[in-house]
């Protein structure tokens, strides 16, 4: 070992530590709403104000942080914003949902999928089945009902756009007396939307497919806009579709996890 090797190792370690501290400062600013004073940032990462100030100066020189001349507070700079925008443009709910789909499949042993709003209605774009799948006639590319599927109900409640309501209204007009009996006679669509929003998920039993129950929850992006739906389904006899049941809790939890990966705060 040469005399310079310990020095190089020490310098490399110092550079790594400096990078870690810089990232901690940026993350602290983000957690504090993007703007905060020196003392608060230092408290957030449990470092001395003097040390944090040195890193803030370096980050300001790189355009990652700025400082308000009036309040002396630090804020996320233009370069940080550009990095965030680039990351958000690459955020793909279908790709990011893959781990959640696998966890749901393994934990609950149910069929699960991700769907998005397509031109013709809710459309399945990613599908996972357990080892002994429930036989259903839906696959990737299948278009689901707005009113009678849990997936459609979530999109109807969270998007509430004219085109979405028009699809639901068309289904309502074609509904059988048996189907209509499942809805509020005074305000079929409005009451359905309110119940889904209140529960944070939609649950159905034998409405879209006989013998099949399902639970769906919305996935939101960084703009707090619903961009996809996570759904779990199974045979009605062994599947609890109640809003407070084990399946619903797991689906909501995973939908929230995907939403966080997409930038929802």
């Amino acid at each position: 070992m040469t005399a310079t090797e310990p020095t190089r190792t020490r310098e490399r370690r110092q550079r790594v530590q400096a990078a870690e501290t810089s990232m901690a400062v940026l993350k602290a600013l983000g957690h504090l709403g993007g703007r905060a004073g020196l003392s608060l940032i230092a408290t957030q990462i449990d470092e001395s104000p003097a040390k944090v100030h040195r890193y803030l100066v370096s980050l300001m020189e790189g355009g990652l942080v700025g400082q308000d001349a009036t309040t002396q507070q630090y804020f996320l700079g233009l370069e940080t914003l550009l990095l965030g925008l680039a990351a958000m443009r690459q955020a793909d709910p279908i790709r990011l949902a893959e781990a959640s789909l696998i966890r749901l499949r393994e934990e609950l042993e149910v069929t699960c999928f991700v769907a998005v709003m397509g031109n013709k209605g809710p459309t399945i774009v990613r599908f996972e089945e357990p080892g002994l799948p429930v036989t259903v006639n839906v696959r990737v590319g299948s278009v689901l009902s707005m009113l009678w599927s849990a997936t459609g109900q979530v999109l109807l409640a969270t998007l509430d756009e004219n085109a979405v309501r028009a699809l639901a209204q068309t289904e309502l007009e074609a509904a059988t007396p048996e189907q209509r009996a499942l809805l509020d006679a005074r305000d079929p669509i409005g009451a359905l939307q309110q119940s889904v929003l209140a529960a944070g998920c939609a649950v159905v039993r034998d409405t879209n497919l006989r013998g099949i129950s399902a639970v769906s929850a919305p996935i939101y992006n960084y703009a707090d806009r619903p961009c996809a739906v996570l759904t779990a389904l199974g045979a009605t006899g062994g599947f609890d579709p109640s809003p407070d049941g084990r399946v619903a809790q797991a689906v909501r939890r995973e939908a929230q996890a995907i939403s966080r990966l997409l930038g929802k705060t």
Side-chain angles (χ1 to χ4, degrees), residues 80-115:
T80 307
L81 297 177
L82 293 175
L83 286 172
L85 289 172
M88 288 186 293
R89 284 195 293 269
Q90 295 184 61
D92 178 4
I94 302 170
R95 177 178 59 82
L96 295 177
E98 184 172 348
S100 290
L101 286 171
I102 294 173
R103 281 195 295 267
L104 285 176
R105 183 194 67 191
E106 299 300 320
E107 176 187 345
L108 304 175
E109 296 184 330
V110 297
T111 298
C112 47
F113 60 81
V114 172

PDB file of all heavy atoms in Angstrom, residues 80-115:
ATOM      1  N   THR A  80     -33.323  22.568  -9.240  1.00  0.00           N
ATOM      2  CA  THR A  80     -34.057  21.517  -8.533  1.00  0.00           C
ATOM      3  C   THR A  80     -35.433  21.327  -9.148  1.00  0.00           C
ATOM      4  O   THR A  80     -35.910  20.197  -9.312  1.00  0.00           O
ATOM      5  CB  THR A  80     -34.188  21.875  -7.047  1.00  0.00           C
ATOM      6  OG1 THR A  80     -32.896  22.156  -6.513  1.00  0.00           O
ATOM      7  CG2 THR A  80     -34.808  20.727  -6.269  1.00  0.00           C
ATOM      8  N   LEU A  81     -36.079  22.435  -9.487  1.00  0.00           N
ATOM      9  CA  LEU A  81     -37.400  22.348 -10.116  1.00  0.00           C
ATOM     10  C   LEU A  81     -37.325  21.630 -11.458  1.00  0.00           C
ATOM     11  O   LEU A  81     -38.192  20.817 -11.800  1.00  0.00           O
ATOM     12  CB  LEU A  81     -37.991  23.749 -10.292  1.00  0.00           C
ATOM     13  CG  LEU A  81     -38.261  24.535  -9.002  1.00  0.00           C
ATOM     14  CD1 LEU A  81     -38.778  25.927  -9.338  1.00  0.00           C
ATOM     15  CD2 LEU A  81     -39.268  23.799  -8.129  1.00  0.00           C
ATOM     16  N   LEU A  82     -36.295  21.914 -12.219  1.00  0.00           N
ATOM     17  CA  LEU A  82     -36.136  21.262 -13.523  1.00  0.00           C
ATOM     18  C   LEU A  82     -35.899  19.763 -13.356  1.00  0.00           C
ATOM     19  O   LEU A  82     -36.416  18.955 -14.134  1.00  0.00           O
ATOM     20  CB  LEU A  82     -34.977  21.907 -14.292  1.00  0.00           C
ATOM     21  CG  LEU A  82     -35.197  23.360 -14.733  1.00  0.00           C
ATOM     22  CD1 LEU A  82     -33.933  23.915 -15.385  1.00  0.00           C
ATOM     23  CD2 LEU A  82     -36.377  23.461 -15.695  1.00  0.00           C
ATOM     24  N   LEU A  83     -35.127  19.399 -12.339  1.00  0.00           N
ATOM     25  CA  LEU A  83     -34.917  17.979 -12.059  1.00  0.00           C
ATOM     26  C   LEU A  83     -36.237  17.305 -11.682  1.00  0.00           C
ATOM     27  O   LEU A  83     -36.526  16.180 -12.119  1.00  0.00           O
ATOM     28  CB  LEU A  83     -33.904  17.815 -10.923  1.00  0.00           C
ATOM     29  CG  LEU A  83     -32.435  18.092 -11.256  1.00  0.00           C
ATOM     30  CD1 LEU A  83     -31.606  18.074  -9.967  1.00  0.00           C
ATOM     31  CD2 LEU A  83     -31.900  17.051 -12.229  1.00  0.00           C
ATOM     32  N   GLY A  84     -37.023  17.985 -10.867  1.00  0.00           N
ATOM     33  CA  GLY A  84     -38.310  17.431 -10.464  1.00  0.00           C
ATOM     34  C   GLY A  84     -39.248  17.235 -11.636  1.00  0.00           C
ATOM     35  O   GLY A  84     -39.931  16.213 -11.748  1.00  0.00           O
ATOM     36  N   LEU A  85     -39.271  18.227 -12.531  1.00  0.00           N
ATOM     37  CA  LEU A  85     -40.135  18.121 -13.715  1.00  0.00           C
ATOM     38  C   LEU A  85     -39.702  16.964 -14.603  1.00  0.00           C
ATOM     39  O   LEU A  85     -40.531  16.230 -15.144  1.00  0.00           O
ATOM     40  CB  LEU A  85     -40.104  19.436 -14.499  1.00  0.00           C
ATOM     41  CG  LEU A  85     -40.817  20.620 -13.848  1.00  0.00           C
ATOM     42  CD1 LEU A  85     -40.529  21.899 -14.629  1.00  0.00           C
ATOM     43  CD2 LEU A  85     -42.326  20.362 -13.786  1.00  0.00           C
ATOM     44  N   ALA A  86     -38.383  16.797 -14.758  1.00  0.00           N
ATOM     45  CA  ALA A  86     -37.880  15.687 -15.570  1.00  0.00           C
ATOM     46  C   ALA A  86     -38.276  14.352 -14.958  1.00  0.00           C
ATOM     47  O   ALA A  86     -38.669  13.414 -15.669  1.00  0.00           O
ATOM     48  CB  ALA A  86     -36.362  15.787 -15.704  1.00  0.00           C
ATOM     49  N   ALA A  87     -38.205  14.248 -13.634  1.00  0.00           N
ATOM     50  CA  ALA A  87     -38.579  13.005 -12.956  1.00  0.00           C
ATOM     51  C   ALA A  87     -40.075  12.740 -13.099  1.00  0.00           C
ATOM     52  O   ALA A  87     -40.492  11.594 -13.321  1.00  0.00           O
ATOM     53  CB  ALA A  87     -38.198  13.087 -11.481  1.00  0.00           C
ATOM     54  N   MET A  88     -40.882  13.796 -12.999  1.00  0.00           N
ATOM     55  CA  MET A  88     -42.331  13.615 -13.109  1.00  0.00           C
ATOM     56  C   MET A  88     -42.739  13.184 -14.512  1.00  0.00           C
ATOM     57  O   MET A  88     -43.668  12.401 -14.689  1.00  0.00           O
ATOM     58  CB  MET A  88     -43.048  14.906 -12.701  1.00  0.00           C
ATOM     59  CG  MET A  88     -42.990  15.170 -11.208  1.00  0.00           C
ATOM     60  SD  MET A  88     -43.970  16.571 -10.662  1.00  0.00           S
ATOM     61  CE  MET A  88     -43.108  17.944 -11.423  1.00  0.00           C
ATOM     62  N   ARG A  89     -42.034  13.693 -15.519  1.00  0.00           N
ATOM     63  CA  ARG A  89     -42.361  13.303 -16.891  1.00  0.00           C
ATOM     64  C   ARG A  89     -42.095  11.823 -17.125  1.00  0.00           C
ATOM     65  O   ARG A  89     -42.722  11.195 -17.977  1.00  0.00           O
ATOM     66  CB  ARG A  89     -41.568  14.156 -17.887  1.00  0.00           C
ATOM     67  CG  ARG A  89     -42.103  15.575 -18.062  1.00  0.00           C
ATOM     68  CD  ARG A  89     -41.509  16.221 -19.301  1.00  0.00           C
ATOM     69  NE  ARG A  89     -40.082  16.458 -19.144  1.00  0.00           N
ATOM     70  CZ  ARG A  89     -39.562  17.586 -18.659  1.00  0.00           C
ATOM     71  NH1 ARG A  89     -40.357  18.569 -18.279  1.00  0.00           N
ATOM     72  NH2 ARG A  89     -38.251  17.736 -18.550  1.00  0.00           N
ATOM     73  N   GLN A  90     -41.155  11.267 -16.375  1.00  0.00           N
ATOM     74  CA  GLN A  90     -40.825   9.857 -16.535  1.00  0.00           C
ATOM     75  C   GLN A  90     -41.674   8.948 -15.643  1.00  0.00           C
ATOM     76  O   GLN A  90     -41.596   7.727 -15.777  1.00  0.00           O
ATOM     77  CB  GLN A  90     -39.348   9.634 -16.211  1.00  0.00           C
ATOM     78  CG  GLN A  90     -38.395  10.312 -17.173  1.00  0.00           C
ATOM     79  CD  GLN A  90     -36.944   9.981 -16.848  1.00  0.00           C
ATOM     80  OE1 GLN A  90     -36.529   8.841 -16.871  1.00  0.00           O
ATOM     81  NE2 GLN A  90     -36.181  11.006 -16.518  1.00  0.00           N
ATOM     82  N   ALA A  91     -42.455   9.524 -14.748  1.00  0.00           N
ATOM     83  CA  ALA A  91     -43.248   8.726 -13.814  1.00  0.00           C
ATOM     84  C   ALA A  91     -44.365   8.013 -14.567  1.00  0.00           C
ATOM     85  O   ALA A  91     -45.252   8.643 -15.146  1.00  0.00           O
ATOM     86  CB  ALA A  91     -43.842   9.640 -12.731  1.00  0.00           C
ATOM     87  N   ASP A  92     -44.324   6.723 -14.580  1.00  0.00           N
ATOM     88  CA  ASP A  92     -45.282   5.892 -15.299  1.00  0.00           C
ATOM     89  C   ASP A  92     -46.058   5.059 -14.287  1.00  0.00           C
ATOM     90  O   ASP A  92     -45.488   4.158 -13.661  1.00  0.00           O
ATOM     91  CB  ASP A  92     -44.534   4.985 -16.280  1.00  0.00           C
ATOM     92  CG  ASP A  92     -45.453   4.048 -17.023  1.00  0.00           C
ATOM     93  OD1 ASP A  92     -46.676   4.139 -16.851  1.00  0.00           O
ATOM     94  OD2 ASP A  92     -44.938   3.213 -17.782  1.00  0.00           O
ATOM     95  N   PRO A  93     -47.352   5.319 -14.096  1.00  0.00           N
ATOM     96  CA  PRO A  93     -48.107   4.573 -13.083  1.00  0.00           C
ATOM     97  C   PRO A  93     -48.147   3.076 -13.354  1.00  0.00           C
ATOM     98  O   PRO A  93     -48.199   2.274 -12.422  1.00  0.00           O
ATOM     99  CB  PRO A  93     -49.502   5.197 -13.157  1.00  0.00           C
ATOM    100  CG  PRO A  93     -49.577   5.872 -14.479  1.00  0.00           C
ATOM    101  CD  PRO A  93     -48.182   6.313 -14.778  1.00  0.00           C
ATOM    102  N   ILE A  94     -48.096   2.681 -14.607  1.00  0.00           N
ATOM    103  CA  ILE A  94     -48.148   1.254 -14.935  1.00  0.00           C
ATOM    104  C   ILE A  94     -46.877   0.565 -14.466  1.00  0.00           C
ATOM    105  O   ILE A  94     -46.908  -0.490 -13.827  1.00  0.00           O
ATOM    106  CB  ILE A  94     -48.345   1.063 -16.447  1.00  0.00           C
ATOM    107  CG1 ILE A  94     -49.630   1.770 -16.903  1.00  0.00           C
ATOM    108  CG2 ILE A  94     -48.403  -0.416 -16.803  1.00  0.00           C
ATOM    109  CD1 ILE A  94     -49.788   1.849 -18.402  1.00  0.00           C
ATOM    110  N   ARG A  95     -45.735   1.181 -14.763  1.00  0.00           N
ATOM    111  CA  ARG A  95     -44.459   0.598 -14.342  1.00  0.00           C
ATOM    112  C   ARG A  95     -44.307   0.639 -12.826  1.00  0.00           C
ATOM    113  O   ARG A  95     -43.877  -0.343 -12.203  1.00  0.00           O
ATOM    114  CB  ARG A  95     -43.304   1.357 -15.009  1.00  0.00           C
ATOM    115  CG  ARG A  95     -41.920   0.887 -14.587  1.00  0.00           C
ATOM    116  CD  ARG A  95     -40.835   1.656 -15.333  1.00  0.00           C
ATOM    117  NE  ARG A  95     -40.909   3.083 -15.101  1.00  0.00           N
ATOM    118  CZ  ARG A  95     -40.401   3.698 -14.031  1.00  0.00           C
ATOM    119  NH1 ARG A  95     -39.789   2.991 -13.082  1.00  0.00           N
ATOM    120  NH2 ARG A  95     -40.499   5.005 -13.894  1.00  0.00           N
ATOM    121  N   LEU A  96     -44.670   1.764 -12.219  1.00  0.00           N
ATOM    122  CA  LEU A  96     -44.497   1.918 -10.781  1.00  0.00           C
ATOM    123  C   LEU A  96     -45.456   1.044  -9.979  1.00  0.00           C
ATOM    124  O   LEU A  96     -45.224   0.783  -8.800  1.00  0.00           O
ATOM    125  CB  LEU A  96     -44.675   3.385 -10.386  1.00  0.00           C
ATOM    126  CG  LEU A  96     -43.612   4.349 -10.939  1.00  0.00           C
ATOM    127  CD1 LEU A  96     -43.930   5.786 -10.559  1.00  0.00           C
ATOM    128  CD2 LEU A  96     -42.223   3.960 -10.439  1.00  0.00           C
ATOM    129  N   ALA A  97     -46.532   0.607 -10.610  1.00  0.00           N
ATOM    130  CA  ALA A  97     -47.512  -0.232  -9.914  1.00  0.00           C
ATOM    131  C   ALA A  97     -47.112  -1.697  -9.875  1.00  0.00           C
ATOM    132  O   ALA A  97     -47.730  -2.491  -9.161  1.00  0.00           O
ATOM    133  CB  ALA A  97     -48.874  -0.101 -10.597  1.00  0.00           C
ATOM    134  N   GLU A  98     -46.086  -2.064 -10.611  1.00  0.00           N
ATOM    135  CA  GLU A  98     -45.734  -3.482 -10.736  1.00  0.00           C
ATOM    136  C   GLU A  98     -45.459  -4.136  -9.386  1.00  0.00           C
ATOM    137  O   GLU A  98     -45.958  -5.234  -9.099  1.00  0.00           O
ATOM    138  CB  GLU A  98     -44.524  -3.641 -11.648  1.00  0.00           C
ATOM    139  CG  GLU A  98     -44.151  -5.086 -11.897  1.00  0.00           C
ATOM    140  CD  GLU A  98     -43.068  -5.239 -12.950  1.00  0.00           C
ATOM    141  OE1 GLU A  98     -42.769  -4.250 -13.658  1.00  0.00           O
ATOM    142  OE2 GLU A  98     -42.519  -6.347 -13.050  1.00  0.00           O
ATOM    143  N   ALA A  99     -44.674  -3.497  -8.543  1.00  0.00           N
ATOM    144  CA  ALA A  99     -44.350  -4.076  -7.236  1.00  0.00           C
ATOM    145  C   ALA A  99     -45.601  -4.226  -6.375  1.00  0.00           C
ATOM    146  O   ALA A  99     -45.762  -5.229  -5.666  1.00  0.00           O
ATOM    147  CB  ALA A  99     -43.313  -3.216  -6.520  1.00  0.00           C
ATOM    148  N   SER A 100     -46.498  -3.242  -6.447  1.00  0.00           N
ATOM    149  CA  SER A 100     -47.740  -3.316  -5.664  1.00  0.00           C
ATOM    150  C   SER A 100     -48.626  -4.451  -6.142  1.00  0.00           C
ATOM    151  O   SER A 100     -49.254  -5.152  -5.335  1.00  0.00           O
ATOM    152  CB  SER A 100     -48.493  -1.981  -5.761  1.00  0.00           C
ATOM    153  OG  SER A 100     -47.818  -0.966  -5.053  1.00  0.00           O
ATOM    154  N   LEU A 101     -48.699  -4.651  -7.440  1.00  0.00           N
ATOM    155  CA  LEU A 101     -49.502  -5.751  -7.980  1.00  0.00           C
ATOM    156  C   LEU A 101     -48.977  -7.096  -7.479  1.00  0.00           C
ATOM    157  O   LEU A 101     -49.759  -7.982  -7.094  1.00  0.00           O
ATOM    158  CB  LEU A 101     -49.478  -5.718  -9.509  1.00  0.00           C
ATOM    159  CG  LEU A 101     -50.297  -4.617 -10.188  1.00  0.00           C
ATOM    160  CD1 LEU A 101     -49.990  -4.584 -11.675  1.00  0.00           C
ATOM    161  CD2 LEU A 101     -51.779  -4.821  -9.956  1.00  0.00           C
ATOM    162  N   ILE A 102     -47.676  -7.246  -7.480  1.00  0.00           N
ATOM    163  CA  ILE A 102     -47.079  -8.501  -7.025  1.00  0.00           C
ATOM    164  C   ILE A 102     -47.317  -8.692  -5.527  1.00  0.00           C
ATOM    165  O   ILE A 102     -47.638  -9.800  -5.068  1.00  0.00           O
ATOM    166  CB  ILE A 102     -45.584  -8.526  -7.362  1.00  0.00           C
ATOM    167  CG1 ILE A 102     -45.396  -8.564  -8.891  1.00  0.00           C
ATOM    168  CG2 ILE A 102     -44.898  -9.720  -6.703  1.00  0.00           C
ATOM    169  CD1 ILE A 102     -43.965  -8.425  -9.343  1.00  0.00           C
ATOM    170  N   ARG A 103     -47.199  -7.626  -4.751  1.00  0.00           N
ATOM    171  CA  ARG A 103     -47.443  -7.741  -3.305  1.00  0.00           C
ATOM    172  C   ARG A 103     -48.884  -8.140  -3.036  1.00  0.00           C
ATOM    173  O   ARG A 103     -49.153  -9.002  -2.188  1.00  0.00           O
ATOM    174  CB  ARG A 103     -47.112  -6.421  -2.603  1.00  0.00           C
ATOM    175  CG  ARG A 103     -45.622  -6.198  -2.371  1.00  0.00           C
ATOM    176  CD  ARG A 103     -45.385  -5.080  -1.375  1.00  0.00           C
ATOM    177  NE  ARG A 103     -45.834  -3.789  -1.855  1.00  0.00           N
ATOM    178  CZ  ARG A 103     -45.061  -2.921  -2.485  1.00  0.00           C
ATOM    179  NH1 ARG A 103     -43.794  -3.215  -2.730  1.00  0.00           N
ATOM    180  NH2 ARG A 103     -45.534  -1.748  -2.881  1.00  0.00           N
ATOM    181  N   LEU A 104     -49.825  -7.514  -3.746  1.00  0.00           N
ATOM    182  CA  LEU A 104     -51.234  -7.862  -3.552  1.00  0.00           C
ATOM    183  C   LEU A 104     -51.499  -9.306  -3.948  1.00  0.00           C
ATOM    184  O   LEU A 104     -52.217 -10.038  -3.262  1.00  0.00           O
ATOM    185  CB  LEU A 104     -52.129  -6.926  -4.373  1.00  0.00           C
ATOM    186  CG  LEU A 104     -52.312  -5.507  -3.859  1.00  0.00           C
ATOM    187  CD1 LEU A 104     -53.154  -4.701  -4.847  1.00  0.00           C
ATOM    188  CD2 LEU A 104     -52.985  -5.517  -2.490  1.00  0.00           C
ATOM    189  N   ARG A 105     -50.947  -9.714  -5.047  1.00  0.00           N
ATOM    190  CA  ARG A 105     -51.143 -11.090  -5.520  1.00  0.00           C
ATOM    191  C   ARG A 105     -50.614 -12.088  -4.502  1.00  0.00           C
ATOM    192  O   ARG A 105     -51.271 -13.096  -4.196  1.00  0.00           O
ATOM    193  CB  ARG A 105     -50.420 -11.275  -6.852  1.00  0.00           C
ATOM    194  CG  ARG A 105     -50.604 -12.656  -7.483  1.00  0.00           C
ATOM    195  CD  ARG A 105     -49.589 -12.859  -8.593  1.00  0.00           C
ATOM    196  NE  ARG A 105     -48.222 -12.940  -8.049  1.00  0.00           N
ATOM    197  CZ  ARG A 105     -47.124 -12.909  -8.795  1.00  0.00           C
ATOM    198  NH1 ARG A 105     -47.216 -12.753 -10.104  1.00  0.00           N
ATOM    199  NH2 ARG A 105     -45.932 -13.017  -8.243  1.00  0.00           N
ATOM    200  N   GLU A 106     -49.439 -11.812  -3.950  1.00  0.00           N
ATOM    201  CA  GLU A 106     -48.825 -12.740  -3.006  1.00  0.00           C
ATOM    202  C   GLU A 106     -49.482 -12.674  -1.633  1.00  0.00           C
ATOM    203  O   GLU A 106     -49.698 -13.703  -0.988  1.00  0.00           O
ATOM    204  CB  GLU A 106     -47.327 -12.442  -2.881  1.00  0.00           C
ATOM    205  CG  GLU A 106     -46.547 -12.598  -4.179  1.00  0.00           C
ATOM    206  CD  GLU A 106     -46.639 -14.000  -4.737  1.00  0.00           C
ATOM    207  OE1 GLU A 106     -46.592 -14.950  -3.932  1.00  0.00           O
ATOM    208  OE2 GLU A 106     -46.771 -14.151  -5.964  1.00  0.00           O
ATOM    209  N   GLU A 107     -49.800 -11.482  -1.184  1.00  0.00           N
ATOM    210  CA  GLU A 107     -50.362 -11.310   0.166  1.00  0.00           C
ATOM    211  C   GLU A 107     -51.790 -11.825   0.250  1.00  0.00           C
ATOM    212  O   GLU A 107     -52.169 -12.488   1.227  1.00  0.00           O
ATOM    213  CB  GLU A 107     -50.323  -9.828   0.556  1.00  0.00           C
ATOM    214  CG  GLU A 107     -50.975  -9.514   1.893  1.00  0.00           C
ATOM    215  CD  GLU A 107     -51.061  -8.028   2.174  1.00  0.00           C
ATOM    216  OE1 GLU A 107     -50.378  -7.239   1.484  1.00  0.00           O
ATOM    217  OE2 GLU A 107     -51.812  -7.658   3.088  1.00  0.00           O
ATOM    218  N   LEU A 108     -52.606 -11.503  -0.754  1.00  0.00           N
ATOM    219  CA  LEU A 108     -54.026 -11.824  -0.703  1.00  0.00           C
ATOM    220  C   LEU A 108     -54.411 -13.019  -1.561  1.00  0.00           C
ATOM    221  O   LEU A 108     -55.529 -13.531  -1.442  1.00  0.00           O
ATOM    222  CB  LEU A 108     -54.856 -10.603  -1.151  1.00  0.00           C
ATOM    223  CG  LEU A 108     -54.620  -9.308  -0.377  1.00  0.00           C
ATOM    224  CD1 LEU A 108     -55.412  -8.178  -1.009  1.00  0.00           C
ATOM    225  CD2 LEU A 108     -55.000  -9.483   1.091  1.00  0.00           C
ATOM    226  N   GLU A 109     -53.501 -13.428  -2.444  1.00  0.00           N
ATOM    227  CA  GLU A 109     -53.778 -14.516  -3.387  1.00  0.00           C
ATOM    228  C   GLU A 109     -55.025 -14.212  -4.210  1.00  0.00           C
ATOM    229  O   GLU A 109     -55.950 -15.020  -4.328  1.00  0.00           O
ATOM    230  CB  GLU A 109     -53.925 -15.852  -2.645  1.00  0.00           C
ATOM    231  CG  GLU A 109     -52.658 -16.290  -1.939  1.00  0.00           C
ATOM    232  CD  GLU A 109     -52.784 -17.657  -1.301  1.00  0.00           C
ATOM    233  OE1 GLU A 109     -53.907 -18.031  -0.900  1.00  0.00           O
ATOM    234  OE2 GLU A 109     -51.771 -18.362  -1.209  1.00  0.00           O
ATOM    235  N   VAL A 110     -55.031 -13.035  -4.782  1.00  0.00           N
ATOM    236  CA  VAL A 110     -56.148 -12.584  -5.605  1.00  0.00           C
ATOM    237  C   VAL A 110     -55.627 -12.103  -6.962  1.00  0.00           C
ATOM    238  O   VAL A 110     -54.441 -11.833  -7.131  1.00  0.00           O
ATOM    239  CB  VAL A 110     -56.923 -11.428  -4.933  1.00  0.00           C
ATOM    240  CG1 VAL A 110     -57.555 -11.887  -3.629  1.00  0.00           C
ATOM    241  CG2 VAL A 110     -56.003 -10.231  -4.693  1.00  0.00           C
ATOM    242  N   THR A 111     -56.540 -12.021  -7.904  1.00  0.00           N
ATOM    243  CA  THR A 111     -56.223 -11.399  -9.181  1.00  0.00           C
ATOM    244  C   THR A 111     -56.249  -9.887  -8.996  1.00  0.00           C
ATOM    245  O   THR A 111     -57.124  -9.356  -8.301  1.00  0.00           O
ATOM    246  CB  THR A 111     -57.261 -11.815 -10.247  1.00  0.00           C
ATOM    247  OG1 THR A 111     -57.191 -13.230 -10.424  1.00  0.00           O
ATOM    248  CG2 THR A 111     -56.994 -11.132 -11.572  1.00  0.00           C
ATOM    249  N   CYS A 112     -55.308  -9.184  -9.582  1.00  0.00           N
ATOM    250  CA  CYS A 112     -55.284  -7.734  -9.441  1.00  0.00           C
ATOM    251  C   CYS A 112     -54.789  -7.103 -10.740  1.00  0.00           C
ATOM    252  O   CYS A 112     -54.105  -7.748 -11.527  1.00  0.00           O
ATOM    253  CB  CYS A 112     -54.410  -7.304  -8.266  1.00  0.00           C
ATOM    254  SG  CYS A 112     -52.805  -8.092  -8.201  1.00  0.00           S
ATOM    255  N   PHE A 113     -55.170  -5.857 -10.935  1.00  0.00           N
ATOM    256  CA  PHE A 113     -54.778  -5.173 -12.170  1.00  0.00           C
ATOM    257  C   PHE A 113     -54.784  -3.670 -11.988  1.00  0.00           C
ATOM    258  O   PHE A 113     -55.333  -3.142 -10.995  1.00  0.00           O
ATOM    259  CB  PHE A 113     -55.686  -5.575 -13.337  1.00  0.00           C
ATOM    260  CG  PHE A 113     -57.160  -5.263 -13.158  1.00  0.00           C
ATOM    261  CD1 PHE A 113     -57.661  -3.989 -13.400  1.00  0.00           C
ATOM    262  CD2 PHE A 113     -58.051  -6.264 -12.785  1.00  0.00           C
ATOM    263  CE1 PHE A 113     -59.013  -3.709 -13.261  1.00  0.00           C
ATOM    264  CE2 PHE A 113     -59.402  -5.997 -12.640  1.00  0.00           C
ATOM    265  CZ  PHE A 113     -59.885  -4.720 -12.877  1.00  0.00           C
ATOM    266  N   VAL A 114     -54.169  -2.995 -12.947  1.00  0.00           N
ATOM    267  CA  VAL A 114     -54.191  -1.532 -13.030  1.00  0.00           C
ATOM    268  C   VAL A 114     -54.962  -1.160 -14.291  1.00  0.00           C
ATOM    269  O   VAL A 114     -54.783  -1.779 -15.349  1.00  0.00           O
ATOM    270  CB  VAL A 114     -52.766  -0.947 -13.093  1.00  0.00           C
ATOM    271  CG1 VAL A 114     -52.805   0.555 -13.370  1.00  0.00           C
ATOM    272  CG2 VAL A 114     -52.030  -1.211 -11.801  1.00  0.00           C
ATOM    273  N   ALA A 115     -55.824  -0.169 -14.167  1.00  0.00           N
ATOM    274  CA  ALA A 115     -56.607   0.309 -15.311  1.00  0.00           C
ATOM    275  C   ALA A 115     -56.501   1.826 -15.413  1.00  0.00           C
ATOM    276  O   ALA A 115     -56.261   2.507 -14.408  1.00  0.00           O
ATOM    277  CB  ALA A 115     -58.072  -0.103 -15.172  1.00  0.00           C
TER     278      ALA A 115
END
